[in-house]
């Protein structure tokens, strides 16, 4: 005969205590412009290496996905790809 050990059952109060988030605050400290800056640096890097097709594609991606009226693509990025 096989004996199976039963796991202890937690009460609702114990579960509530384990899941309590009192005193814990979550704040997102990540850079909201990280993706924009990352793709922009890829555009500049590819254009400096002479990879024009890759740089042009990255520039298009940067313009369509990450560029906003508050954060336009810098003029230098367009000039670097030319």
């Amino acid at each position: 005969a096989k004996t199976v050990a039963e796991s202890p059952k937690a009460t609702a109060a114990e579960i509530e205590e384990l899941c309590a988030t009192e005193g814990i605050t979550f704040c997102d400290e990540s850079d909201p412009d990280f993706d924009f800056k990352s793709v922009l640096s890829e555009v500049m890097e590819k254009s400096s290496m002479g990879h024009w097709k890759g740089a042009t594609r990255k520039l298009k991606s940067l313009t369509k996905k990450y560029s906003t009226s508050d954060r336009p693509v810098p003029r230098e990025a367009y000039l670097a790809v030319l």
Side-chain angles (χ1 to χ4, degrees):
K2 208 186 226 186
T3 58
V4 177
E6 281 192 37
S7 60
K9 303 285 185 236
T11 66
E14 290 171 331
I15 292 172
E16 183 66 33
E17 185 179 330
L18 290 173
C19 297
T21 57
E22 248 178 72
I24 299 174
T25 56
F26 297 96
C27 59
D28 184 5
E29 293 182 353
S30 62
D31 183 2
D33 294 337
F34 177 78
D35 291 329
F36 179 83
K37 292 175 185 174
S38 174
V39 176
L40 179 59
S41 71
E42 287 180 43
V43 168
M44 301 308 270
E45 182 181 329
K46 286 188 180 294
S47 62
S48 71
M49 293 173 11
H51 296 171
W52 306 115
K53 187 181 270 187
T56 304
R57 288 178 177 164
K58 286 290 180 186
L59 181 62
K60 182 179 179 183
S61 158
L62 179 68
T63 305
K64 287 188 175 275
K65 294 180 185 175
Y66 304 109
S67 177
T68 62
S69 58
D70 297 334
R71 186 183 57 205
V73 176
R75 184 172 184 263
E76 297 81 38
Y78 289 107
L79 293 176
V81 174
L82 290 177

